Amino acid sequence: MIAFAKNLPRAGHLLKIHACAVAAIFVLVISARQSLTANWGRSAFGRILRVVRDWYPQAVFLFCFEELGTLEQLVHRGWCDSSMLAFDRWLTGVNVTVWLQRFVSPGFTDFMQMSYLSYFFFLTILGFFLYIWGADSARDDSPRRFAFWAVMTCSMTGYVIGYTTSLFVPVESPHYFMATWNLVPLTGGPFTWLSDLIEHYGRVHGGAFPSEHVVGSFIPLLCAWRYRRRLFWIFLPFFACMCASTVYVRNHYLTDVLAGIVVGGIGFCVGQMLMRLPRACPEN
C-alpha cells in the first residue's frame, strides 16, 4: 500500500485500518498468553479469550478477501482474464466456461452451488475435530493442539501467498469478464438462492487468481490426510466437486483452480516448516 499509494484512493485510511487490525491481534495474543498464569485465566472470560485467540485466523481470511476488491488494481491497471482464457484453451482446446454450458440444468446447477458452498466447512470441520480430539496419532511430547495450530498456520500461509499473488496477477473472473457474452443463465433451487445471496453481499470484483476457494480447501484436505485420515476420504469427493463447481458457476477459470492447488500445496509445505520452529505452538 505504501509502495503503490498513488494507485490507491484513501491509502492513508486503509493503512490506519490495518494498523488497528495488527494492534488488535497483538493485544489478543498477549492477553491470551497472560491468561495462562493470571488469576482470572480459569474464568469464563479467560477461556473465551483463548478460544478467540485460536480461531481468529478465519476472520482474517474473510477480511483480506473482501479487501481484495479495493487492492486488485494496486500494482497496475487492467485485468489478466484474456491470458487465463488463452491458457485454458491451450490446455484443453476449448473455452471451458462456454463448453460447460452443455450441462446446465436447474438440478445440476443447484448441486454445483451446493458443492461451491462446501468450501466454508473444510477448515471449520477439520479444525473442530483437531481442537477437541487432536490428531489420530499425536506424539506424547507434542502440545495438545499441535495439529490444530498446524492446520491454521498452513492455511494462513497459503492465503498470504494467494492474496499476494492476486495483487500482481489481477483477474476479475468469468462472471465479470463474460458478463456481455450470451451465456445460458444459471438457475437452480435453494442452494443457488443461498449462493446468490452470499455473492450479492460478499462478491469481490477481482481476486480470482489463484482460486482462494481451492487454496482454502486443499490445505485442510492435505492436513486431513496427515492428521485425520478418515476425514480426508470424506472431504475428497466434496473437494473434487467444489473444484469443478468454481468453473461451472463462472467464478473462476480452470487456470485459477490449478494455481489454487499449487499455492495450497506450497502453503501446506511452508506451514509445516514453520511449525518446526521453537515455540511455534502455544501450550494451551
Side-chain angles (χ1 to χ4, degrees):
M1 289 182 187
I2 296 174
F4 299 96
K6 66 179 186 300
N7 296 334
L8 184 63
R10 303 174 67 198
H13 177 70
L14 290 173
L15 286 170
K16 290 177 183 177
I17 293 176
H18 273 259
C20 291
V22 171
I25 291 173
F26 269 105
V27 170
L28 173 63
V29 172
I30 293 172
S31 299
R33 182 180 298 174
Q34 292 297 322
S35 72
L36 296 175
T37 56
N39 294 330
W40 51 271
R42 295 184 179 275
S43 66
F45 176 74
R47 291 193 294 269
I48 292 173
L49 189 65
R50 289 192 292 276
V51 170
V52 174
R53 184 275 314 271
D54 296 340
W55 287 92
Y56 83 86
Q58 286 197 304
V60 174
F61 302 152
L62 293 175
F63 169 81
C64 293
F65 178 72
E66 289 299 319
E67 189 180 49
L68 283 180
T70 304
L71 302 181
E72 273 294 279
Q73 301 294 294
L74 178 66
V75 178
H76 61 81
R77 300 293 181 180
W79 302 100
C80 300
D81 290 68
S82 297
S83 299
M84 302 297 112
L85 275 176
F87 187 84
D88 279 10
R89 185 176 293 277
W90 173 82
L91 190 64
T92 65
V94 297
N95 183 323
V96 182
T97 304
V98 176
W99 182 82
L100 285 172
Q101 289 190 113
R102 66 188 64 194
F103 302 107
V104 171
S105 69
F108 189 63
T109 296
D110 216 43
F111 174 76
M112 285 284 100
Q113 293 287 13
M114 179 191 69
S115 302
Y116 188 73
L117 293 172
S118 68
Y119 153 80
F120 293 101
F121 299 100
F122 282 79
L123 179 58
T124 302
I125 292 175
L126 177 62
F128 176 80
F129 272 84
L130 296 178
Y131 198 75
I132 302 299
W133 293 290
D136 289 330
S137 56
R139 297 177 312 191
D140 293 336
D141 61 340
S142 63
R144 185 167 65 94
R145 292 186 175 133
F146 178 88
F148 169 82
W149 275 82
V151 173
M152 285 297 181
T153 301
C154 292
S155 296
M156 184 66 81
T157 305
Y159 277 116
V160 166
I161 297 172
Y163 290 147
T164 304
T165 302
S166 294
L167 300 184
F168 291 90
V169 188
V171 175
E172 57 179 349
S173 82
H175 173 80
Y176 289 104
F177 187 74
M178 301 181 182
T180 58
W181 295 27
N182 188 26
L183 300 178
V184 178
L186 297 177
T187 58
F191 290 106
T192 302
W193 173 85
L194 178 60
S195 181
D196 289 343
L197 181 66
I198 294 173
E199 295 289 355
H200 176 73
Y201 290 102
R203 185 186 291 275
V204 171
H205 190 172
F209 180 89
S211 169
E212 300 302 339
H213 263 65
V214 176
V215 173
S217 53
F218 188 53
I219 289 175
L221 183 72
L222 295 176
C223 289
W225 174 265
R226 178 155 189 165
Y227 300 116
R228 278 272 171 180
R229 190 66 57 87
R230 291 182 180 179
L231 282 179
F232 170 84
W233 295 113
I234 296 174
F235 285 168
L236 185 59
F238 286 96
F239 174 76
C241 292
M242 192 276 301
C243 288
S245 72
T246 61
V247 183
Y248 178 89
V249 302
R250 301 165 186 167
N251 285 337
H252 291 285
Y253 303 98
L254 178 60
T255 306
D256 304 334
V257 175
L258 299 178
I261 292 175
V262 173
V263 170
I266 295 173
F268 173 78
C269 294
V270 174
Q272 293 293 320
M273 294 171 58
L274 292 174
M275 290 303 297
R276 299 191 188 104
L277 297 176
R279 300 180 66 186
C281 178
E283 292 298 326
N284 291 288

